Amino acid sequence: MTEPLSFELSRPAVDPPRLPDAEVAGPAPKDVLPADTLRSRPPGLPRLSEAEIMRHYSRMASLNYSISENFYPLGSCTMKYNPVVNEAAAALAGFACLHPYQDEDTVQGALELMWRLEQALCAIVGVDRVTLQPAAGAHGEWTALSMIRAYQHSRGEARTEVLVPDSAHGTNPASAALSGFQVVEVLSGPDGRISLADLESKLSPRTSALMLTNPNTLGLFEREILDIAELVHSTGAMLYYDGANLNAFMGICRPGDMGFDAVHMNLHKTFTTPHGGGGPGAGPVGVKEELVPFLPAPTVERMNGQLTLDYRRPHSIGRVRSFYGNFGMLVRAYTYILAMGGDGLSQASQDAVLSANYLRKLVEGDLEMPHDGPCMHEFVASAHGLLTHHGVRALDIAKALLDRQFYAPTVYFPLVVPEAIMVEPTETESKATLDAFAKAVKDIVTEAKTNPQGLHDEPKHLPVGRLDEVAAARRINSYLVGQSEDPILRWKAPSEGAPKDPC
Amino acid sequence: MTEPLSFELSRPAVDPPRLPDAEVAGPAPKDVLPADTLRSRPPGLPRLSEAEIMRHYSRMASLNYSISENFYPLGSCTMKYNPVVNEAAAALAGFACLHPYQDEDTVQGALELMWRLEQALCAIVGVDRVTLQPAAGAHGEWTALSMIRAYQHSRGEARTEVLVPDSAHGTNPASAALSGFQVVEVLSGPDGRISLADLESKLSPRTSALMLTNPNTLGLFEREILDIAELVHSTGAMLYYDGANLNAFMGICRPGDMGFDAVHMNLHKTFTTPHGGGGPGAGPVGVKEELVPFLPAPTVERMNGQLTLDYRRPHSIGRVRSFYGNFGMLVRAYTYILAMGGDGLSQASQDAVLSANYLRKLVEGDLEMPHDGPCMHEFVASAHGLLTHHGVRALDIAKALLDRQFYAPTVYFPLVVPEAIMVEPTETESKATLDAFAKAVKDIVTEAKTNPQGLHDEPKHLPVGRLDEVAAARRINSYLVGQSEDPILRWKAPSEGAPKDPC
Amino acid sequence: MLETIGVESMDDLLVDIPQSLRLESLQLPDGLSEFETMTRVKALADRNRVFPDRLTFRGGGVYRRFIPAVVGAVTSKPEFYTAYTPYQAEASQGTLQAIFEFQTLIAELCGLDVANASLYDGATAVAEAAMMAHVHTGRNEVIVSGYVHPEYVQVLRAFGEGRGIKVRKDGEPNKKTAAVIFQHPDFLGLLVDARGLTTAAHDAGAVAIACVDPISLAVLAPPGEYGADIAVGEGQQLGLAPSFGGPHVGFIACKRELVRKLPGRLVGTAHDAQGRRGFVLALAAREQHIRREKATSNICTNHSLCALAAAVYLTYMGPYGLRHVADVSFKRAHTLADRLKALPGWELAFPERQFLNEFPVRMPRASAIQRKLARKGILGPLDMGRWFRELKGVVTFTCTEVNDVRAIDELVELLAALES
Amino acid sequence: MLETIGVESMDDLLVDIPQSLRLESLQLPDGLSEFETMTRVKALADRNRVFPDRLTFRGGGVYRRFIPAVVGAVTSKPEFYTAYTPYQAEASQGTLQAIFEFQTLIAELCGLDVANASLYDGATAVAEAAMMAHVHTGRNEVIVSGYVHPEYVQVLRAFGEGRGIKVRKDGEPNKKTAAVIFQHPDFLGLLVDARGLTTAAHDAGAVAIACVDPISLAVLAPPGEYGADIAVGEGQQLGLAPSFGGPHVGFIACKRELVRKLPGRLVGTAHDAQGRRGFVLALAAREQHIRREKATSNICTNHSLCALAAAVYLTYMGPYGLRHVADVSFKRAHTLADRLKALPGWELAFPERQFLNEFPVRMPRASAIQRKLARKGILGPLDMGRWFRELKGVVTFTCTEVNDVRAIDELVELLAALES
Ligand SMILES: Cc1ncc(COP(=O)(O)O)c(C=O)c1O
Ligand SMILES: Cc1ncc(COP(=O)(O)O)c(C=O)c1O
């Protein structure tokens, strides 16, 4: 069952909700503002009763898979359980109702939370300071690169290139480009790790930084990380850590100790702030001493026992978003860290690695493993052989898993593995769930070998079957080039004045 | 997809949740209490992580139909939309965290709410005082009958019979019996209303009260209510109003004006406190002057500007539950009444009547209507003809509706209509929903006539098909008579010490 | 819509209502926006005083306990809280399974065979159990032994009134006795001789009804172990807010031979044509909608959502978490008791009796002290003199896992300061 | 599990990590129970001062507005908030449809062709729009006209830095100008000549970017009506709590010809083999995961759940509810302005300019007065001197539907008393 759009459910008979009256006399905008500043007709918002709204969105919710109902082994995304206490914490009036421009003496608790969270993150990743301003991982990447550029600039260096491994997440090159750098790709070796030789050949005085995640997106720890760091630093470049994979080793080792100069963290991965169907997250960035002057302003500082927002940071790259970041997400992450403690976080990472290796072992008879284990918190398998021999692709396996109540792993990423299937089970899944998933994979692979056509037709048990994205793209293109008036990217009333018009 | 039981998901490997330490020295119970007062082994509770618990119950939730996702035309149950603001109100710390034995000066807001709610309910049903203590409708019925008995007792009358129409809800005779009365059934006439002649014949000096709901359970207004009241009162008996059907006429008329002496209200029907899958509700009882001395204690009284709980009520029937009733539900109902206002409540009842008559009209070509309209807020159809001609029962229609995403109407009640289908759409459903439901009924009736066997197999699209209650009853019986050790009414570990044992 | 119906106006649909009964309008103010509504309701809430968990030492049937956030996350799911009683099983498996799990959890806790889907509260649970005993034995008297919650006894009396059941306070059971009812720990928090009372009941052919604290059962022998026939109790401590006394949840469990006498809903397993297990309302022939005046009880709507909360709570705790909670509460209460009895003029009211986490103390100048505690934000002990003449000057203190040591220190230091 | 894997210990799984990097443990305290965690977090929350809605007259980009309870009821559904970006469309139709509805709602409000799935906030939305203009025109300068939110401008500068985009304050657009950016109403709350600025931009071949207040669009001509090419803004007012500045939601809408330059996610309709309509991520070829360094933006995780809140809010309000909210806010703000300017020594800072519900006032002895207001529980106006030297002594007041007349009275009476 699909659900109609709110616009399609809209009924002109629905009165607007009861709202407070003005209680004061005086003209309305339309009576005093110049006519040409006024809206000519009301916006085309739908008209539904609260009861209808609740039902509409409840039904839509039931069309989603989510970590609360489904195993969600989406590689690189760290879909672990989000403790509900986090939500209760963020909803406390003492946080949710704070205006960002309240005077500092009225928000000492909020600043204290930010301060303590910064301290905790410093301890976890091994850096000197952390900015909490970035709203997501990509935002953190760009913030960090901006700091690195500003730092190098301050030393009179004009470094123009950023090195990015071929296995890197798409945000890495995109962030580098947005920061005005040329992107130079570094190749992976046959063992799935960065090729030191290739790295050496690409490093130059133009190199500003190497962006790396470790374990890399293949789930493999870069064993030669210390050599890599030395190599990069020896050319005067900096080392940037994409913290999307931090869940692999909290309490086991630290990016700061590996030699990384700047580190972003995805609070919405490692620190259980919920993904929200695509955000909001938070992407704090930690830096070593030499980058500290360049942190975005304001920072939180303790002065004479009071916490204060320090805006006077002459070398700062400025501001990367309004106010102080996604504060509500910071509250959730802080709550999680407090509850877990150092012991709990270490255990979480170990369990994450254990889960991944266990699941990898269970499915290695069914899916190709392009690289040797052990893996860290995730692993990448390949459906290349299945494609070659049976015409079954990674996508088919993903869709077949959906039909078995499992969300699909990440597919076709990283790009260095053909028909990649990237599986991150996380520490919060039970052995029973991992076993069930492995069994589903086995069943699907068996079906791939015996009845490949059947798989192409899956999913069959979901509200819709496979959606034709190619046709959709064609229709969008028609609209964009003016050959059609249906934008596809939004609902449009069938025609002016038709009964469906919500106003 | 069904969901395993928590007991089946339980894993001994799961540590108990982190909980506060005692922080004080001192022996544990097992060290000091006599051995024979101690539990010999831990209770067989399941062991699951919070993540597993959340997923377990989330999946179970998704197996339910509910007013938030489905039309729920369950006759007599007034399944209308429950505004979410009610929940926010009841969750306010100033209500949720109050201990019932706090001193009165610290709970003036709570007492004020109870006072104002009582006033509002008095105004709506036309009585002099209301007790908020009863926890549900049936509880209210019994409370009211106890008051009536105490009143008559106080006048030296020993009346032993309560009259109950044949169309009455099962709680009516059950409550009467629980109060120690003989139940005497009054017959309905061919027009679906109580037969005045039969009533007259059953009334006697032994009659304590007549229990009546109006509109009656057929959705029909008892046109002769004033005559009925006179008749009953003329024998010295009292008239009791079962308020389950109050949603039909708020602001249109009042039971108190009709001559009822005592009235219960289901806040979980008319006043939008959610049903909770079977409670908690609240069943306040309103009474006329002469019954006031007999109200349960305490009542809320205003004295010198302060509100106080009055326990000194010498004629009171005593207490019908602990503390002051389901206070959290009272908050919700009060919130609803405040938001709706007198105008909103009147409109709600009119819309409820309109919805019912509209839907009745739409389906009257498909289902038999044993009684003429107009109806009030609900109507009762019959599948008697379908059963006779096509072997399709009310139950089959109910199950077929489930398969079409609609919850089923109440079936086989009231008992006076064979193959009864009792439909209460409520005022919060849109015309589009009523139209869709009517279409589903039409489709089902068509199928009943063309392919009755198909209907017997429905529902097909739900987590389980029709469940064999007869077999279940047989197995329960085997257990109860000692022929089997499987209680059916609870989970039992497969065998002592087997791996499934959760401890 | 009027047109489809074939009438001209709303009034045409209301023709059956005698004109003399028709109202102009309700004597209530007009409605408000949600914002204004909430503002007013909040203003009422703000007129109540909220004592913090940690400084609440008052119990008497309603306790502050840690409520895991997951409890609210589950009970606030509209699929649970906006469903009705699960009449249509196929579309109500979530509710039915939750009740089935609750029944099992309660039966496990009580060590008895079967528990029902819930009752309104502890008080009505006691009354319903007495009714079961009355029907089962055909006898008309119940004995309430010792300090049973006074409000439960009041409800029992009111219930008994109609059916002619006499409630006797203490005394030996005899052949008129339908049941012996005791609370363990009792209203003062003291352990009673549950085993002895049960045996005495059985010796007289009466039913033994134990009213129990569910958290105590992580530690104390469950009713089933000492032979009680019916266990009842109040489940507020299992994840429910105090909420000025309700809604909470009553529970009832019994031995196999009494199951047919149980009031209210019961859920059992059943199977569909494909052999899939599901859950259904079972033994409905006991209930009012089938048996009408011959039903075991008149209860219809019960406290399902509260039972769900309790099920989530118990599942969160598990066997060892629940015991931890009971142990912590025990240790803290005993620490507090030791410190209180060291205060000049204070003494344990029943020093020879055992308790878990609620205990009676003789305290001088009770009402003056209560006022001072309240001024310091402390919800002090509960005055027993309010209900029992013989307990004038006796109060009960309660400790649970929410009363941290600093809170206990604060309380004792304040009391010490008042005494000196 | 270790056995299945075929290793002896955890350490065997961590062999790739150089021994020298291995930690003993984290320098963090041990974990806490949920109860203790919440107690500590709540202690921090309690160290903040919460000003009541009705007495909050401070805006500056974050406003107190009535948030219908249904907004939270929807966004707190785990099916929404614990899902990821909807990569697998068939199992994510709820999220996808919600985004599609959000896109439509924003496009409708702005009177433009297409809106995206959301951005982080209003500030980054301005910066992203500037980037679009830069790519679209191939020009390197953007003009910020008038009083645009100073933090938005700071973010724009930081964004522009890397790409070599210069940010100019005011001035005439010329052929180096990629975009003219204005805020309407501006940061002071004043209406600007949106039409004129748009025309000037177009005359110079530049893109016109309007930064708008979404609620103002219930009343004011939408950017599409006066020809702006891109509309951006902050959606906090659409059902999101102030939350000390975030998370809120940025929105961006544009004309058809700029759609391929849009940053971030876009959802469109598509159909399955049976012809059923569904929703998919569309035009992904603009995005980082496909186009990497050539992507229109680096954004990946955006603010989906906040967009959902905004969608529910706008659906609750409908066209006439939203206008009512804007009208009430307007009337109250104008009443307040009239009363303030009557105070001795007070005057409107720009009496000739129009405003909606936020306005600048010249107020004597600002900081002393602010302290006194705070003492009375009032969150007073916002000091513009903090950002703009030329606006020393100027503050902005905000009124919305949450500031009832009694609150306005309280404020004005207090100020009058302070002045006398
Ligand atoms: C490896 C990696 N890097 C960077 C990112 C970008 O993070 P965000 O989506 O928070 O911007 C992600 C997340 O998708 C990721 O998996
Ligand atoms: C007509 C009628 N009377 C009485 C009741 C009993 O109310 P409750 O379930 O609240 O005890 C009901 C509800 O089911 C009913 O419909």
Side-chain angles (χ1 to χ4, degrees), chain D residues 82-241:
Chain D
T82 76
Y84 203 81
T85 302
Y87 294 132
Q88 295 291 341
E90 300 87 347
S92 312
Q93 286 296 301
T95 297
L96 286 161
Q97 180 168 344
I99 297 173
F100 185 83
E101 293 187 1
F102 173 78
Q103 291 175 179
T104 306
L105 290 162
I106 294 296
E108 282 290 342
L109 266 187
C110 296
L112 283 163
D113 295 321
V114 170
N116 90 347
S118 78
L119 293 169
Y120 305 137
D121 67 350
T124 55
V126 166
E128 293 278 12
M131 212 60 61
M132 285 173 69
H134 159 65
V135 173
H136 186 68
T137 60
R139 302 175 181 184
N140 283 329
E141 177 196 87
V142 295
I143 293 177
V144 172
S145 172
Y147 288 110
V148 173
H149 195 303
E151 298 198 359
Y152 294 12
V153 179
Q154 288 164 19
V155 172
L156 173 63
R157 281 189 205 283
F159 251 74
E161 191 72 25
R163 288 283 186 97
I165 299 172
K166 266 178 230 71
V167 178
R168 180 147 68 95
K169 184 77 179 59
D170 294 325
E172 283 303 308
N174 57 39
K175 60 183 190 309
K176 289 202 212 113
T177 310
V180 175
I181 303 174
F182 55 87
Q183 191 171 359
H184 178 54
D186 68 12
F187 185 60
L188 308 182
L190 302 170
L191 302 199
V192 305
D193 179 15
R195 242 170 247 279
L197 289 163
T198 299
T199 308
H202 288 171
D203 288 348
V207 169
I209 299 174
C211 179
V212 291
D213 167 338
I215 291 189
S216 78
L217 297 181
V219 165
L220 295 184
E225 270 189 34
Y226 51 77
D229 306 282
I230 305 177
V232 293
E234 168 58 59
Q236 177 267 327
Q237 297 189 74
L238 307 175
L240 296 163

Side-chain angles (χ1 to χ4, degrees), chain A residues 20-213:
Chain A
D21 285 329
E23 300 176 300
V24 292
K30 67 170 169 13
D31 304 323
V32 286
L33 298 182
D36 75 336
T37 65
L38 293 173
R39 179 158 203 135
S40 56
R41 54 189 196 108
L45 311 181
R47 301 174 67 178
L48 298 173
S49 70
E50 182 186 321
E52 291 168 293
I53 293 172
M54 189 68 190
R55 191 173 288 167
H56 175 60
Y57 285 102
S58 296
R59 287 180 168 182
M60 277 160 62
S62 73
L63 306 179
N64 263 6
Y65 279 16
S66 70
I67 191 71
S68 78
E69 283 189 42
N70 307 84
F71 181 43
Y72 214 115
L74 196 65
S76 205
C77 298
T78 313
M79 289 296 279
K80 53 170 143 174
Y81 173 68
N82 307 135
V84 284
V85 67
N86 295 354
E87 301 305 307
L92 288 168
F95 296 134
C97 299
L98 293 189
H99 193 286
Y101 292 143
Q102 282 185 215
D103 306 330
E104 282 176 2
D105 61 333
T106 67
V107 293
Q108 287 294 306
L111 297 178
E112 180 79 39
L113 185 144
M114 292 170 70
W115 171 267
R116 291 192 199 165
L117 176 60
E118 182 181 344
Q119 299 303 311
L121 296 176
C122 284
I124 294 166
V125 300
V127 294
D128 296 309
R129 289 297 303 262
V130 166
T131 173
L132 302 171
Q133 229 178 75
H139 202 205
E141 295 170 11
W142 167 80
T143 302
L145 293 176
S146 298
M147 283 191 265
I148 290 172
R149 200 197 35 237
Y151 164 73
Q152 291 168 345
H153 210 86
S154 76
R155 296 161 47 107
E157 301 170 6
R159 295 171 176 260
T160 55
E161 291 177 1
V162 163
L163 308 192
V164 175
D166 52 6
S167 63
H169 192 264
T171 52
N172 290 187
S175 296
L178 184 65
S179 316
F181 290 106
Q182 303 289 313
V183 175
V184 177
E185 199 169 86
V186 184
L187 303 181
S188 305
D191 67 345
R193 274 91 176 174
I194 202 169
S195 154
L196 238 73
D198 193 61
L199 173 62
E200 228 175 322
S201 76
K202 308 261 164 91
L203 274 169
S204 83
R206 290 185 306 281
T207 308
S208 173
L210 168 65
M211 299 180 83
L212 210 63
T213 184

Side-chain angles (χ1 to χ4, degrees), chain B residues 168-350:
Chain B
H169 193 265
T171 53
N172 290 186
S175 297
L178 184 66
S179 316
F181 290 107
Q182 302 291 312
V183 175
V184 177
E185 200 168 85
V186 184
L187 302 182
S188 303
D191 67 346
R193 274 91 176 173
I194 202 168
S195 153
L196 239 71
D198 194 59
L199 173 62
E200 229 176 318
S201 77
K202 307 260 164 92
L203 273 168
S204 83
R206 290 184 307 279
T207 309
S208 173
L210 168 65
M211 300 180 84
L212 209 62
T213 184
N214 190 18
N216 64 26
T217 60
L218 295 164
L220 302 173
F221 198 88
E222 295 284 356
R223 285 186 286 246
E224 297 174 299
I225 183 62
L226 293 170
D227 298 334
I228 294 171
E230 210 187 303
L231 207 55
V232 170
H233 286 151
S234 71
T235 68
M238 285 192 143
L239 203 57
Y240 173 76
Y241 180 68
D242 174 343
N245 292 345
L246 180 57
N247 207 48
F249 57 62
M250 288 182 291
I252 300 172
C253 54
R254 309 193 302 178
D257 301 339
M258 297 175 203
F260 287 96
D261 303 289
V263 174
H264 93 249
M265 291 150 266
N266 299 62
L267 301 190
H268 47 299
K269 299 184 196 280
T270 320
F271 299 102
T272 66
T273 80
H275 287 248
V285 173
V287 294
K288 294 278 186 63
E289 197 58 49
E290 60 271 32
L291 289 174
V292 169
F294 306 93
L295 284 170
T299 55
V300 178
E301 306 292 340
R302 198 177 283 282
M303 289 192 192
N304 315 323
Q306 279 277 103
L307 288 158
T308 183
L309 290 163
D310 182 10
Y311 289 89
R312 266 152 300 160
R313 304 188 62 84
H315 300 289
S316 166
I317 57 162
R319 213 174 227 301
V320 303
R321 62 152 284 170
S322 53
F323 315 118
Y324 327 112
N326 282 344
F327 179 75
M329 309 327 275
L330 306 182
V331 174
R332 291 169 171 87
Y334 177 71
T335 304
Y336 174 70
I337 290 172
L338 205 56
M340 294 297 277
D343 55 340
L345 294 176
S346 304
Q347 191 62 51
S349 282
Q350 295 190 30

Side-chain angles (χ1 to χ4, degrees), chain A residues 365-382:
Chain A
D366 302 306
L367 296 174
E368 293 156 77
M369 294 296 158
H371 303 288
D372 288 342
C375 63
M376 293 291 290
H377 67 306
E378 63 190 355
F379 64 88
V380 177
S382 170

